[in-house]
Amino acid sequence: MTSPESPLPSPSPCLPPPSSLPSSPTPSSSLPPPPSLPPTGEVMVLALGRKKQRMLIGLSILPNLFLAFLLSSDALLTLTSPHHCRLPGPLPAAQILNTSLPWEKGGRVGDSGGLSQCKQYINGTQSGVENCEAGWDYNVTEGLRINIVTEWDLVCGQYWLVPVEEVSFILGVLTGCLGLGFAADRLGRLKTLLTSLTLSVVFGVLVCVSTAPQFFIVMRFCLAAASAGVYLTLYITRLELCDPSLRLLVTMVAGLTTVAGELLLLGFALCYQSWRGLLGTGAAPLSLFLTYGIPGVFPESPRWLLLSERSADLNSFTERRDRGRDDESFTELDSERSPSTRPHLSFPELVHSRNIWKNICVLGFTSFISHGISHCYSSFRADVRGTAPSFYWTYLLSVCAGGGAWLLLWATVNRCGRRGILLLAMTMTGLASLILLGLMEYLSEAAITVFSVMGLFSSQAAASLCVLFTAEIMPTMIRGIGVGTVLALGCVGRLTSPLMDLRNHYGYFLHHVVYSSLALLAVLSILLLPESKRKPLPQTLADGEQYRRPSLGRRRRDNVPLLATPNPET
């Protein structure tokens, strides 16, 4: 007899793991924290918090509204109105002027001439002529009723002081772009900004109390240099506070703010009718922006801090990041100030950075052409037909063309790239010049206006895009120097405008032909530039050297997902 089957054994509990295997971690044990990586420029910008970042960008845009009063008022200050010798007695009638002033022929083609502006008959008789001894009367119909020309009688024998003032102003902007751009890289953006703001307020007051044209010209030079420093420092600081996707939008808003300031400038000119009140309106509000120096209001550029070797700032940033505070806690990256050290710039390495030098030369040459040729389009109708348009038409056309250029850049640059739109703008500039120069005898007044507006529009778009392009491909270590150099070369191009005015626009045709030829040469040089669309800003010289022109024959590849299986046949 067989014994009954024994029941199946119940499942035994899991055996303990062998002693050689590590046991599962207990709640009391914790893994060691991962090593903290050094912060990058993008990380430090994000550490400010989205709200703080947008507030700082807004604070960097607001001064542009008042800088337009200081940097764009030269046309109103030096506008020369029709004038004639001051005759004794009350305001003379037209019949008395015809018998007291000699007739002079016009100096331009199509100009029939008019009553002399610098001569009068001796004792009211036609026996001889003499210079104006009692001053001049002005028939002011446009612009300021009292500017430096009407206040100090800068006409006739003293007219040469007007182009000297214009050249001095442009040279002041050039000096400020170079000198204060270098200071922004070596001393910091915030220190340079506060210094430039202080100098702008001081020299703005001195300009407003000027009692002689010579003193005015010297102070105007200093004011231009300081104002250019404020504009340049805010430009690069604003760009360094932006993500790659925001750079174009923020720059466009800042450009439109400057356009709004130029429109307000004309409105205030019609209200004040005095150049002192106009410049005072632009200089006085800049003193309010000195509050940016208060700790916690406007911090130093985070990207510049990475290069300045401030260990206390970076350690403070790392500690706060590790503690995991919210975005609102990252409000000041340089709250714990240590003795500042300058960014280390290796001049031998800078000299051998051929790609950086190539980019600066190409963009500087393009800026020189685009700034210099703008004046040719503004005065082309007067040069060819001898009938100058009104000042208000010329001023509003130039300002509106600048605003339209910014809107065009905002709509196209992020889609087609910086290099492609710059190439298109310079091509349109060259074509407009060639059409105007080659067919000017066959074009109607409307056609001349259309092609002049097209050339003015495209040249201003190219000038604005050159500065943005430079700021994006220059490394943080020399961004102030790079942008300042491109702006300074643009000022060199603008110098031809007062020099042509001094010569009464003689040789305008050759002047326009030279710029048109150089514009076509600039089109070819733009092909050597890299593309900076949606790319991070370079920090060091080595990063800047990596921005190279993409190969024209390289095939464009799509981004392959990480988990995709590669095809061996490809």
Side-chain angles (χ1 to χ4, degrees), residues 407-470:
L407 293 176
L408 174 68
L409 295 178
W410 171 68
T412 59
V413 166
N414 269 347
R415 297 181 180 179
C416 304
R418 275 66 165 159
R419 189 177 61 162
I421 298 301
L422 183 60
L423 186 66
L424 175 63
M426 288 306 298
T427 303
M428 291 177 58
T429 302
L431 287 177
S433 296
L434 292 178
I435 292 174
L436 289 173
L437 294 173
L439 303 176
M440 61 180 179
E441 296 182 357
Y442 309 99
L443 295 177
S444 62
E445 294 288 337
I448 289 178
T449 302
V450 169
F451 286 109
S452 297
V453 171
M454 185 182 78
L456 184 64
F457 177 81
S458 58
S459 61
Q460 292 202 14
S464 302
L465 188 53
C466 277
V467 182
L468 174 62
F469 209 160
T470 306

Side-chain angles (χ1 to χ4, degrees), residues 57-103:
I57 291 174
L59 291 177
S60 67
I61 293 176
L62 186 59
N64 284 19
L65 193 66
F66 303 99
L67 286 175
F69 282 70
L70 303 180
L71 295 175
S72 304
S73 59
D74 214 46
L76 289 165
L77 299 181
T78 59
L79 179 63
T80 302
S81 302
H83 54 276
H84 58 79
C85 295
R86 183 173 297 161
L87 302 177
L91 189 64
Q95 187 176 7
I96 299 178
L97 292 178
N98 292 332
T99 58
S100 302
L101 303 176
W103 186 271

Side-chain angles (χ1 to χ4, degrees), residues 314-385:
L314 297 182
N315 291 338
S316 173
F317 166 80
T318 305
E319 292 175 0
R320 284 177 288 174
R321 182 188 62 181
D322 293 340
R323 284 197 296 264
R325 297 185 179 181
D326 55 4
D327 289 341
E328 297 298 328
S329 63
F330 297 102
T331 56
E332 182 67 25
L333 292 179
D334 57 341
S335 57
E336 302 176 10
R337 294 187 178 270
S338 62
S340 61
T341 59
R342 299 176 181 177
H344 176 68
L345 178 62
S346 175
F347 286 98
E349 184 181 358
L350 178 61
V351 171
H352 292 88
S353 301
R354 298 179 181 179
N355 191 48
I356 293 178
W357 282 110
K358 180 257 297 181
N359 294 335
I360 290 180
C361 290
V362 172
L363 289 169
F365 179 66
T366 308
S367 177
F368 166 77
I369 300 302
S370 56
H371 280 91
I373 204 171
S374 296
H375 176 70
C376 300
Y377 298 118
S378 301
S379 61
F380 187 83
R381 180 182 174 186
D383 294 333
V384 175
R385 297 289 191 262

Side-chain angles (χ1 to χ4, degrees), residues 484-549:
T485 301
V486 171
L487 288 173
L489 289 173
C491 292
V492 175
R494 290 170 53 192
L495 282 174
T496 58
S497 174
L499 296 180
M500 290 295 294
D501 293 339
L502 185 62
R503 294 176 50 86
N504 198 20
H505 284 244
Y506 286 115
Y508 73 91
F509 186 84
L510 179 61
H511 172 253
H512 201 163
V513 167
V514 171
Y515 270 113
S516 302
S517 304
L518 294 178
L520 297 179
L521 181 60
V523 170
L524 300 177
S525 63
I526 291 172
L527 297 175
L528 302 175
L529 293 174
E531 181 55 61
S532 61
K533 181 177 66 173
R534 300 189 183 94
K535 292 183 179 180
L537 297 178
Q539 282 287 104
T540 61
L541 295 178
D543 297 337
E545 278 294 292
Q546 295 178 1
Y547 276 79
R548 300 180 181 274
R549 177 186 63 85

